[in-house]
Amino acid sequence: MAARDTLYGACQGAAGAEFLVDAMDDATYAEILAFSSHDAAFGEASQATHRAEHSYTVRCCARLCDGMGSCCLSCCCCRRMLWRLWLVDDGFLTYGDHEYSEAELKLRQDMAANKVVWYADYWKDYWCYTRNTNPILALCYSHPLHPISRKERVFITVLQTVFIMMVSSAIPKAQHCLRDGRTRYEATSWNGTNERFCNIAEHVGMTWSLENMSLGFGFGGSVYALVVNFIFAQILFQCGANCACCQFLRRDARRFSEFLGHLLMAVIFLMMLLPTWQFMQYNIYHHTLDSVMVTFLTSKPLSILLTTVVQSIIFSIIWLRETSAAPDKEDKGHAKFYVTATDYWAMVKRKSAAAQI
């Protein structure tokens, strides 16, 4: 536990605050849950409460993952195949890591439920949120129990790099489509492969961006790569790694859904390799590698900046909404999270009062 805390650090409060412990630590969660007056009522019914608060789409997704996991594990052939892949142990999926304790699981589920108010202090909470969501900081400082592990973040970073290189290397070919007038309605003189590429480039908005977003400086390709990379990253994080709706399922279904997310990312990675290689061959032949590198080097940092800005706005909206909620809401059995900032500060006061006795 100490080693993990050393790696993660703590979202500490004011310097010298003796009892201000890390609000995102599972030991803190365990202590709060042990003293919490609403924990007993919130225990067994908490899963239903969380699922009931989710949208209809999320509930359907959770049921689908749950059903698929049960079907695969009930099939003898599937169990044997997964066992050979080191995915099943004693009837449960063990893909990823060990089973969580009650406090670890509830902390993980709170993070999956997008909890942002840990201290009820904007800047402390913002730092806790940023170090777990920022594409750069989270590589080194994300919480060990966060639904998106650091290894998954590294793999997603590699996927994003390959994706943005694929898009950047496709831009010169799309410019060729525009320059020669070979769009969906005029592609008559090229071969079928190039004609199909021009059609796809128009359908996905690449040629439109080159025509309308260049701003007289040729920025259309960078703008397009920036936007699509941002969307691509959200798909990978939310559908491939986070599996937020599946964190509230039982263990075997949760692990199976995580495996499906990893499988999705692996398939996407393999599907990008051939087009990237073909586009790079095109650029080598037409001597447009310098344009590719300019697009890549401008869109990659800007995509990180755009992500940071969007995440900051989202955090501010959620934080203001949660902190403005009625303070007695959790006492009525409708708490959205297992542990709230009110619970945390109550624990700090108890520890401080106990030390003064």
Coordinates of all heavy atoms in Angstrom, one line a residue, residues 43-108:
G43 N -25.1 -0.5 1.1 CA -24.3 -1.6 0.7 C -24.9 -2.4 -0.4 O -24.5 -2.3 -1.6
E44 N -25.8 -3.3 -0.1 CA -26.3 -4.2 -1.1 C -27.1 -3.6 -2.1 O -27.2 -4.0 -3.3 CB -27.2 -5.3 -0.4 CG -26.4 -6.2 0.6 CD -25.3 -7.0 -0.2 OE1 -25.6 -7.3 -1.4 OE2 -24.3 -7.2 0.4
A45 N -27.8 -2.5 -1.8 CA -28.7 -1.8 -2.8 C -28.0 -0.8 -3.6 O -28.5 -0.2 -4.5 CB -29.8 -1.0 -2.0
S46 N -26.7 -0.6 -3.4 CA -25.9 0.4 -4.1 C -25.8 0.1 -5.6 O -25.8 1.0 -6.4 CB -24.5 0.5 -3.5 OG -23.8 -0.7 -3.6
Q47 N -25.6 -1.2 -5.9 CA -25.5 -1.5 -7.4 C -26.8 -1.1 -8.1 O -26.7 -0.5 -9.2 CB -25.3 -3.0 -7.5 CG -24.0 -3.6 -6.8 CD -22.8 -3.1 -7.5 OE1 -22.9 -2.7 -8.7 NE2 -21.6 -3.3 -6.9
A48 N -27.9 -1.4 -7.6 CA -29.2 -1.0 -8.2 C -29.3 0.5 -8.3 O -29.8 1.0 -9.3 CB -30.4 -1.7 -7.5
T49 N -28.9 1.2 -7.2 CA -29.0 2.6 -7.2 C -28.2 3.2 -8.3 O -28.6 4.1 -9.1 CB -28.6 3.2 -5.9 OG1 -29.4 2.6 -4.8 CG2 -28.7 4.7 -5.8
H50 N -26.9 2.7 -8.5 CA -26.1 3.3 -9.5 C -26.6 3.0 -10.9 O -26.6 3.8 -11.7 CB -24.7 2.7 -9.4 CG -23.8 3.4 -8.4 ND1 -23.0 4.4 -8.7 CD2 -23.6 3.2 -7.0 CE1 -22.3 4.9 -7.7 NE2 -22.7 4.1 -6.6
R51 N -27.1 1.8 -11.1 CA -27.6 1.4 -12.4 C -28.8 2.2 -12.7 O -29.1 2.6 -13.9 CB -27.8 -0.1 -12.5 CG -26.6 -0.9 -12.4 CD -26.9 -2.4 -12.5 NE -25.7 -3.2 -12.3 CZ -25.7 -4.6 -12.2 NH1 -26.9 -5.2 -12.2 NH2 -24.6 -5.2 -12.0
A52 N -29.7 2.4 -11.7 CA -30.9 3.1 -12.0 C -30.7 4.6 -12.4 O -31.4 5.2 -13.1 CB -31.8 3.1 -10.7
E53 N -29.5 5.1 -11.9 CA -29.2 6.5 -12.3 C -28.6 6.6 -13.7 O -28.4 7.7 -14.2 CB -28.3 7.1 -11.2 CG -29.0 7.3 -9.9 CD -28.0 7.8 -8.8 OE1 -26.8 7.8 -9.1 OE2 -28.5 8.2 -7.8
H54 N -28.2 5.5 -14.2 CA -27.6 5.5 -15.5 C -28.6 5.7 -16.6 O -29.8 5.4 -16.4 CB -26.8 4.3 -15.8 CG -25.4 4.3 -15.1 ND1 -24.5 3.3 -15.2 CD2 -24.9 5.2 -14.2 CE1 -23.5 3.5 -14.4 NE2 -23.7 4.7 -13.9
S55 N -28.2 6.1 -17.8 CA -29.2 6.3 -18.9 C -29.6 5.0 -19.4 O -29.0 3.9 -19.1 CB -28.5 7.1 -20.0 OG -27.4 6.4 -20.6
Y56 N -30.7 5.0 -20.2 CA -31.2 3.8 -20.8 C -30.1 3.1 -21.6 O -30.0 1.8 -21.6 CB -32.4 4.1 -21.6 CG -33.0 2.9 -22.4 CD1 -33.7 1.9 -21.7 CD2 -32.7 2.8 -23.8 CE1 -34.2 0.8 -22.4 CE2 -33.2 1.7 -24.4 CZ -34.0 0.7 -23.8 OH -34.4 -0.3 -24.5
T57 N -29.4 3.9 -22.4 CA -28.3 3.3 -23.3 C -27.3 2.6 -22.4 O -26.8 1.5 -22.8 CB -27.7 4.4 -24.1 OG1 -28.7 5.1 -24.9 CG2 -26.6 3.8 -25.0
V58 N -26.9 3.2 -21.3 CA -25.8 2.6 -20.5 C -26.3 1.3 -19.9 O -25.6 0.3 -19.8 CB -25.4 3.6 -19.4 CG1 -24.5 3.0 -18.4 CG2 -24.7 4.8 -20.0
R59 N -27.6 1.3 -19.4 CA -28.1 0.1 -18.8 C -28.2 -1.0 -19.8 O -27.9 -2.2 -19.5 CB -29.6 0.4 -18.3 CG -29.6 1.3 -17.1 CD -30.9 1.2 -16.3 NE -32.0 1.4 -17.1 CZ -32.6 2.6 -17.3 NH1 -32.1 3.7 -16.8 NH2 -33.7 2.7 -18.0
C60 N -28.6 -0.7 -21.1 CA -28.6 -1.7 -22.1 C -27.2 -2.2 -22.4 O -27.0 -3.4 -22.6 CB -29.2 -1.1 -23.4 SG -31.0 -0.8 -23.3
C61 N -26.2 -1.3 -22.4 CA -24.8 -1.8 -22.6 C -24.4 -2.7 -21.5 O -23.7 -3.7 -21.8 CB -23.9 -0.5 -22.7 SG -22.2 -0.9 -22.9
A62 N -24.7 -2.3 -20.3 CA -24.3 -3.2 -19.1 C -25.0 -4.5 -19.2 O -24.3 -5.6 -19.0 CB -24.7 -2.5 -17.8
R63 N -26.2 -4.6 -19.6 CA -26.9 -5.9 -19.7 C -26.3 -6.7 -20.8 O -26.2 -7.9 -20.7 CB -28.4 -5.7 -19.9 CG -29.2 -5.1 -18.7 CD -30.6 -5.0 -19.0 NE -31.3 -4.3 -17.9 CZ -32.1 -3.3 -18.1 NH1 -32.4 -2.8 -19.3 NH2 -32.7 -2.7 -17.0
L64 N -25.9 -6.0 -21.9 CA -25.3 -6.8 -23.0 C -24.0 -7.4 -22.6 O -23.8 -8.6 -22.9 CB -25.1 -5.8 -24.2 CG -24.4 -6.4 -25.4 CD1 -25.3 -7.5 -26.0 CD2 -24.2 -5.3 -26.5
C65 N -23.1 -6.6 -21.9 CA -21.9 -7.1 -21.5 C -22.1 -8.2 -20.5 O -21.4 -9.3 -20.5 CB -21.0 -6.0 -20.9 SG -20.5 -4.7 -22.1
D66 N -23.0 -8.1 -19.6 CA -23.3 -9.1 -18.6 C -23.7 -10.4 -19.3 O -23.3 -11.5 -18.9 CB -24.4 -8.6 -17.6 CG -24.4 -9.4 -16.4 OD1 -23.6 -10.3 -16.2 OD2 -25.3 -9.1 -15.5
G67 N -24.6 -10.2 -20.2 CA -25.2 -11.4 -20.9 C -24.1 -12.1 -21.7 O -24.0 -13.4 -21.7
M68 N -23.3 -11.4 -22.4 CA -22.2 -11.9 -23.3 C -21.2 -12.7 -22.4 O -20.7 -13.7 -22.7 CB -21.5 -10.9 -24.1 CG -22.4 -10.3 -25.2 SD -21.6 -9.0 -26.1 CE -20.3 -9.9 -26.9
G69 N -20.9 -12.0 -21.2 CA -19.9 -12.7 -20.3 C -20.4 -14.0 -19.8 O -19.7 -15.0 -19.7
S70 N -21.7 -14.0 -19.4 CA -22.3 -15.2 -18.9 C -22.4 -16.3 -19.9 O -22.1 -17.5 -19.7 CB -23.7 -14.9 -18.4 OG -23.7 -14.0 -17.3
C71 N -22.7 -15.9 -21.2 CA -22.8 -16.9 -22.3 C -21.5 -17.5 -22.6 O -21.4 -18.7 -22.7 CB -23.4 -16.3 -23.5 SG -25.2 -15.8 -23.4
C72 N -20.5 -16.7 -22.7 CA -19.1 -17.2 -23.0 C -18.6 -18.1 -21.9 O -17.9 -19.1 -22.2 CB -18.2 -16.0 -23.3 SG -18.4 -15.2 -24.9
L73 N -18.8 -17.7 -20.7 CA -18.3 -18.5 -19.6 C -19.1 -19.8 -19.4 O -18.6 -20.8 -18.8 CB -18.3 -17.7 -18.3 CG -17.3 -16.6 -18.2 CD1 -17.4 -15.8 -17.0 CD2 -15.9 -17.1 -18.4
S74 N -20.3 -19.8 -19.8 CA -21.2 -21.0 -19.7 C -20.9 -22.0 -20.8 O -21.2 -23.2 -20.7 CB -22.6 -20.7 -19.7 OG -23.0 -20.1 -20.9
C75 N -20.2 -21.6 -21.9 CA -19.9 -22.4 -23.0 C -18.5 -23.1 -22.7 O -17.5 -22.5 -22.5 CB -19.8 -21.6 -24.3 SG -19.2 -22.6 -25.7
C76 N -18.5 -24.5 -22.8 CA -17.3 -25.2 -22.4 C -16.2 -24.9 -23.4 O -15.0 -24.7 -22.9 CB -17.6 -26.7 -22.5 SG -16.2 -27.8 -22.1
C77 N -16.5 -24.8 -24.7 CA -15.4 -24.5 -25.6 C -14.8 -23.1 -25.4 O -13.6 -22.9 -25.5 CB -16.0 -24.5 -27.1 SG -16.5 -26.2 -27.6
C78 N -15.7 -22.1 -25.1 CA -15.2 -20.7 -24.8 C -14.4 -20.7 -23.6 O -13.4 -20.0 -23.5 CB -16.4 -19.8 -24.7 SG -17.3 -19.5 -26.3
R79 N -14.8 -21.4 -22.6 CA -14.1 -21.5 -21.3 C -12.7 -22.1 -21.6 O -11.7 -21.6 -21.0 CB -14.8 -22.3 -20.3 CG -16.0 -21.6 -19.7 CD -16.8 -22.6 -18.8 NE -16.0 -23.0 -17.7 CZ -15.8 -22.4 -16.6 NH1 -16.4 -21.3 -16.4 NH2 -15.1 -22.9 -15.6
R80 N -12.6 -23.1 -22.4 CA -11.3 -23.7 -22.7 C -10.4 -22.8 -23.4 O -9.2 -22.7 -23.2 CB -11.5 -25.0 -23.4 CG -10.2 -25.8 -23.7 CD -10.6 -27.1 -24.4 NE -11.4 -28.0 -23.6 CZ -10.9 -28.8 -22.7 NH1 -9.6 -28.9 -22.6 NH2 -11.7 -29.6 -22.0
M81 N -11.0 -22.1 -24.4 CA -10.2 -21.1 -25.2 C -9.7 -20.0 -24.3 O -8.5 -19.6 -24.4 CB -11.1 -20.6 -26.3 CG -10.3 -19.5 -27.2 SD -11.5 -18.7 -28.4 CE -12.4 -17.7 -27.2
L82 N -10.6 -19.4 -23.5 CA -10.1 -18.3 -22.6 C -9.1 -18.8 -21.6 O -8.2 -18.1 -21.2 CB -11.4 -17.7 -21.9 CG -12.4 -17.0 -22.8 CD1 -13.6 -16.6 -22.0 CD2 -11.7 -15.8 -23.5
W83 N -9.3 -20.1 -21.1 CA -8.3 -20.6 -20.2 C -6.9 -20.7 -20.8 O -5.9 -20.4 -20.2 CB -8.7 -22.0 -19.7 CG -7.8 -22.6 -18.7 CD1 -7.7 -22.4 -17.4 CD2 -6.7 -23.5 -19.0 NE1 -6.7 -23.1 -16.9 CE2 -6.1 -23.8 -17.8 CE3 -6.3 -24.1 -20.2 CZ2 -5.0 -24.7 -17.8 CZ3 -5.2 -25.0 -20.2 CH2 -4.6 -25.3 -19.0
R84 N -6.9 -21.1 -22.1 CA -5.6 -21.2 -22.8 C -5.0 -19.8 -23.1 O -3.8 -19.7 -23.2 CB -5.8 -21.9 -24.2 CG -6.1 -23.4 -24.0 CD -6.2 -24.1 -25.4 NE -6.6 -25.5 -25.2 CZ -5.7 -26.4 -25.0 NH1 -4.4 -26.1 -24.9 NH2 -6.0 -27.7 -24.9
L85 N -5.8 -18.8 -23.1 CA -5.3 -17.4 -23.2 C -5.0 -16.8 -21.8 O -4.8 -15.6 -21.8 CB -6.3 -16.6 -24.0 CG -6.6 -16.9 -25.4 CD1 -7.7 -16.1 -26.0 CD2 -5.3 -16.7 -26.2
W86 N -5.1 -17.6 -20.8 CA -4.8 -17.1 -19.4 C -5.8 -16.0 -19.0 O -5.5 -15.1 -18.3 CB -3.4 -16.5 -19.3 CG -2.3 -17.5 -19.6 CD1 -1.9 -18.4 -18.7 CD2 -1.6 -17.6 -20.8 NE1 -0.9 -19.2 -19.3 CE2 -0.7 -18.7 -20.6 CE3 -1.6 -17.0 -22.0 CZ2 0.2 -19.1 -21.6 CZ3 -0.7 -17.4 -23.0 CH2 0.1 -18.5 -22.8
L87 N -7.1 -16.2 -19.4 CA -8.1 -15.3 -19.1 C -9.1 -15.8 -18.0 O -9.8 -15.0 -17.4 CB -8.9 -14.9 -20.3 CG -8.1 -14.3 -21.5 CD1 -9.1 -14.0 -22.6 CD2 -7.4 -13.0 -21.0
V88 N -9.1 -17.1 -17.8 CA -10.1 -17.6 -16.9 C -9.4 -18.4 -15.8 O -8.4 -19.1 -16.1 CB -11.1 -18.5 -17.6 CG1 -12.0 -19.3 -16.6 CG2 -11.9 -17.7 -18.6
D89 N -9.8 -18.2 -14.6 CA -9.2 -18.9 -13.4 C -10.3 -19.3 -12.4 O -11.0 -18.4 -11.9 CB -8.1 -18.1 -12.7 CG -7.5 -18.8 -11.6 OD1 -7.5 -20.0 -11.6 OD2 -7.0 -18.1 -10.7
D90 N -10.6 -20.6 -12.2 CA -11.6 -21.0 -11.3 C -13.0 -20.4 -11.6 O -13.7 -20.1 -10.7 CB -11.2 -20.6 -9.8 CG -10.0 -21.3 -9.4 OD1 -9.7 -22.4 -9.9 OD2 -9.3 -20.7 -8.5
G91 N -13.3 -20.4 -12.9 CA -14.6 -20.0 -13.3 C -14.8 -18.5 -13.4 O -15.9 -18.0 -13.7
F92 N -13.8 -17.7 -13.1 CA -13.9 -16.2 -13.2 C -12.8 -15.7 -14.1 O -11.7 -16.2 -14.2 CB -13.8 -15.6 -11.9 CG -14.9 -15.9 -10.9 CD1 -14.8 -16.8 -10.0 CD2 -16.1 -15.1 -11.1 CE1 -15.9 -17.1 -9.1 CE2 -17.2 -15.4 -10.2 CZ -17.1 -16.4 -9.3
L93 N -13.2 -14.6 -14.8 CA -12.1 -14.0 -15.6 C -11.2 -13.3 -14.7 O -11.5 -12.6 -13.8 CB -12.8 -12.9 -16.5 CG -13.6 -13.5 -17.7 CD1 -14.3 -12.3 -18.4 CD2 -12.6 -14.1 -18.7
T94 N -9.9 -13.5 -14.9 CA -8.8 -12.8 -14.2 C -8.0 -11.9 -15.0 O -6.9 -11.7 -14.7 CB -7.9 -13.9 -13.5 OG1 -7.4 -14.8 -14.5 CG2 -8.7 -14.7 -12.5
Y95 N -8.6 -11.5 -16.1 CA -7.9 -10.7 -17.1 C -7.6 -9.3 -16.4 O -8.5 -8.6 -16.0 CB -8.7 -10.5 -18.3 CG -8.0 -9.7 -19.4 CD1 -7.1 -10.3 -20.2 CD2 -8.4 -8.4 -19.6 CE1 -6.4 -9.5 -21.2 CE2 -7.8 -7.6 -20.6 CZ -6.8 -8.2 -21.4 OH -6.2 -7.5 -22.4
G96 N -6.4 -8.9 -16.4 CA -6.0 -7.6 -15.9 C -5.3 -7.7 -14.6 O -4.1 -7.5 -14.5
D97 N -5.9 -8.0 -13.4 CA -5.2 -7.9 -12.2 C -6.1 -8.7 -11.1 O -7.0 -9.4 -11.5 CB -5.0 -6.5 -11.7 CG -6.3 -5.7 -11.8 OD1 -7.4 -6.3 -11.9 OD2 -6.2 -4.5 -11.8
H98 N -5.7 -8.6 -9.9 CA -6.4 -9.3 -8.8 C -7.8 -8.8 -8.6 O -8.1 -7.7 -9.0 CB -5.6 -9.2 -7.5 CG -5.5 -7.8 -7.0 ND1 -4.7 -6.8 -7.6 CD2 -6.2 -7.1 -6.0 CE1 -4.9 -5.6 -7.0 NE2 -5.7 -5.8 -6.0
E99 N -8.5 -9.5 -7.8 CA -9.9 -9.0 -7.4 C -9.7 -7.9 -6.4 O -8.8 -7.9 -5.6 CB -10.7 -10.2 -6.8 CG -12.1 -9.8 -6.3 CD -12.9 -9.3 -7.5 OE1 -12.5 -9.3 -8.6 OE2 -14.1 -8.9 -7.2
Y100 N -10.7 -7.0 -6.4 CA -10.6 -5.8 -5.5 C -11.2 -6.1 -4.2 O -12.2 -6.8 -4.1 CB -11.2 -4.6 -6.2 CG -10.7 -4.3 -7.6 CD1 -11.4 -4.5 -8.7 CD2 -9.4 -3.8 -7.7 CE1 -10.9 -4.2 -10.0 CE2 -8.8 -3.5 -9.0 CZ -9.6 -3.8 -10.1 OH -9.1 -3.5 -11.3
S101 N -10.7 -5.4 -3.2 CA -11.4 -5.3 -1.9 C -12.7 -4.5 -2.0 O -12.8 -3.8 -3.0 CB -10.5 -4.8 -0.8 OG -10.2 -3.4 -1.1
E102 N -13.5 -4.5 -1.0 CA -14.7 -3.7 -1.1 C -14.4 -2.2 -1.2 O -15.0 -1.5 -2.0 CB -15.6 -3.9 0.2 CG -16.9 -3.1 0.2 CD -17.6 -3.3 1.5 OE1 -17.0 -3.9 2.5 OE2 -18.8 -2.9 1.6
A103 N -13.5 -1.7 -0.4 CA -13.1 -0.3 -0.5 C -12.5 0.0 -1.9 O -12.8 1.1 -2.5 CB -12.2 0.1 0.6
E104 N -11.6 -0.8 -2.4 CA -11.0 -0.6 -3.7 C -12.1 -0.6 -4.8 O -12.0 0.3 -5.7 CB -10.0 -1.6 -4.0 CG -8.7 -1.5 -3.1 CD -7.8 -2.7 -3.4 OE1 -8.2 -3.8 -3.8 OE2 -6.6 -2.5 -3.1
L105 N -13.0 -1.5 -4.7 CA -14.0 -1.6 -5.8 C -15.0 -0.4 -5.8 O -15.3 0.2 -6.8 CB -14.9 -2.9 -5.6 CG -15.9 -3.2 -6.6 CD1 -15.3 -3.3 -8.0 CD2 -16.7 -4.4 -6.3
K106 N -15.3 0.1 -4.6 CA -16.2 1.2 -4.5 C -15.5 2.5 -4.9 O -16.1 3.4 -5.5 CB -16.7 1.4 -3.1 CG -17.7 0.3 -2.7 CD -18.3 0.4 -1.3 CE -19.4 -0.6 -1.1 NZ -20.0 -0.5 0.3
L107 N -14.2 2.6 -4.6 CA -13.4 3.8 -5.1 C -13.4 3.7 -6.6 O -13.5 4.8 -7.3 CB -12.0 3.7 -4.5 CG -11.0 4.8 -5.0 CD1 -11.5 6.2 -4.8 CD2 -9.7 4.6 -4.3
R108 N -13.1 2.6 -7.1 CA -13.0 2.4 -8.6 C -14.3 2.8 -9.3 O -14.4 3.4 -10.3 CB -12.6 1.0 -8.9 CG -12.4 0.7 -10.4 CD -12.1 -0.8 -10.5 NE -12.0 -1.2 -11.9 CZ -10.9 -1.2 -12.7 NH1 -9.8 -0.8 -12.2 NH2 -10.9 -1.6 -13.9

